[in-house]
């Protein structure tokens, strides 16, 4: 989109400038619609977030990038699982049933563990058997709060920051649309002036 705007302004190409302006308008409207729908359907959005997080838990060991993302999120927000740390039982490796032969049965990832600043080496097996413990007992070793509520609370407490970011993204888009339209009108006026001059040069009485 930026390429169209840049080349269109340099070459004074109306087609590229219109493409730039239309695409930028569509992006802006989509962002606006997403914000409004997220606010109006906040409960459904929360359900969708829950679905995404639960799906990520199930496929935790299948994708290294996903695994790193979940570990980062759990450490950053001091949370574990979706609703609670016992959600990790949805994963085939961490499943707490007696039939599960995995060495990680009833465990949670190391990113759920309470971090000790004095520890130089991270114990990746610190979540061993935590799902078999009660909330009070497990809270001494791991984060027991789920990431869904933690994330929702973080969003509520940072609404002004998120609003500022959204405004910071919207203003340059609106300025870009406005400048593109001004340039298009200037180019059209210049074309009209050139045509007018050509017509009068062909006039024998000119």
């Amino acid at each position: 989109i930026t390429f169209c705007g840049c080349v269109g302004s340099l070459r004074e190409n109306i087609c590229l400038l219109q493409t730039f302006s239309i695409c930028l308008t569509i992006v802006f409207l989509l962002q606006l619609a997403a914000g409004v729908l997220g606010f109006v359907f906040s409960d459904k959005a929360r359900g969708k977030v829950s679905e995404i997080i639960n799906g990520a838990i199930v496929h935790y060991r299948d994708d290294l990038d996903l695994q790193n993302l979940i570990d980062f999120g759990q450490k950053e927000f001091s949370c574990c699982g979706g609703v609670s740390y016992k959600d990790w039982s949805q994963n085939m490796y961490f499943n707490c049933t007696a039939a599960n032969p995995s060495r990680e049965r009833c465990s949670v990832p190391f990113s759920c563990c309470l971090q000790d600043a004095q520890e130089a080496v991270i114990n990746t097996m610190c979540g061993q058997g935590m799902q078999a413990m009660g909330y009070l007992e497990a809270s001494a070793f791991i984060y027991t709060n789920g990431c869904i509520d933690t994330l929702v609370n973080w969003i509520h407490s940072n609404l002004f920051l998120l609003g500022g970011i959204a405004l910071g993204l919207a203003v340059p888009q609106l300025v870009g649309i406005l400048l593109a339209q001004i340039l298009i009108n200037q180019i059209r006026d210049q074309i009209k002036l050139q045509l007018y001059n050509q017509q009068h040069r062909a006039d024998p009485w000119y």
Side-chain angles (χ1 to χ4, degrees):
I1 294 172
T2 308
F3 175 80
C4 288
C6 183
V7 175
S9 60
L10 287 172
R11 304 297 300 173
E12 295 186 348
N13 188 304
I14 291 176
C15 182
L16 285 174
L17 285 170
Q18 283 181 330
T19 302
F20 171 75
S21 183
I22 290 168
C23 288
L24 215 56
T25 303
I26 291 169
V27 170
F28 174 75
L29 292 175
L30 286 173
Q31 287 175 187
L32 187 64
V36 171
L37 290 173
F39 180 77
V40 173
F41 300 105
S42 57
D43 291 336
K44 288 186 178 180
R46 189 182 185 281
K48 191 65 179 176
V49 169
S50 302
E51 185 182 326
I52 291 168
I53 289 176
N54 287 330
I57 288 171
V58 171
H59 298 287
Y60 176 75
R61 291 292 190 207
D62 301 343
D63 186 347
L64 186 59
D65 291 329
L66 177 64
Q67 183 175 315
N68 290 332
L69 180 63
I70 293 171
D71 287 334
F72 171 79
Q74 291 190 146
K75 284 189 286 187
E76 188 71 19
F77 291 102
S78 302
C79 59
C80 187
V83 177
S84 77
Y85 66 101
K86 294 198 175 183
D87 287 342
W88 279 103
S89 202
Q90 297 176 55
N91 185 279
M92 61 183 294
Y93 297 98
F94 299 109
N95 188 277
C96 216
T97 57
N100 184 11
S102 173
R103 292 177 60 189
E104 295 180 305
R105 186 175 72 86
C106 270
S107 300
V108 294
F110 75 94
S111 54
C112 289
C113 297
L114 299 172
Q115 300 296 323
D116 187 354
Q118 296 179 348
E119 284 185 357
V121 180
I122 297 173
N123 177 16
T124 56
M125 298 300 291
C126 59
Q128 192 76 27
M130 290 296 160
Q131 288 187 61
M133 298 182 183
Y135 280 84
L136 192 60
E137 189 181 1
S139 63
F141 304 99
I142 62 169
Y143 305 116
T144 53
N145 293 328
C147 292
I148 295 169
D149 290 331
T150 305
L151 184 59
V152 168
N153 291 336
W154 181 86
I155 290 170
H156 286 163
S157 62
N158 290 276
L159 281 176
F160 286 111
L161 175 63
L162 293 172
I165 292 170
L167 186 63
L169 291 171
V171 169
Q173 289 175 347
L174 291 172
V175 170
I177 294 166
L178 180 63
L179 291 176
Q181 290 302 319
I182 290 171
L183 186 55
I184 288 169
N185 290 332
Q186 287 178 345
I187 294 167
R188 283 175 174 164
D189 290 341
Q190 193 69 28
I191 290 169
K192 287 178 183 177
L193 182 61
Q194 287 176 355
L195 290 172
Y196 177 81
N197 290 335
Q198 286 175 0
Q199 287 172 356
H200 281 75
R201 285 197 186 97
D203 190 344
W205 296 102
Y206 177 72

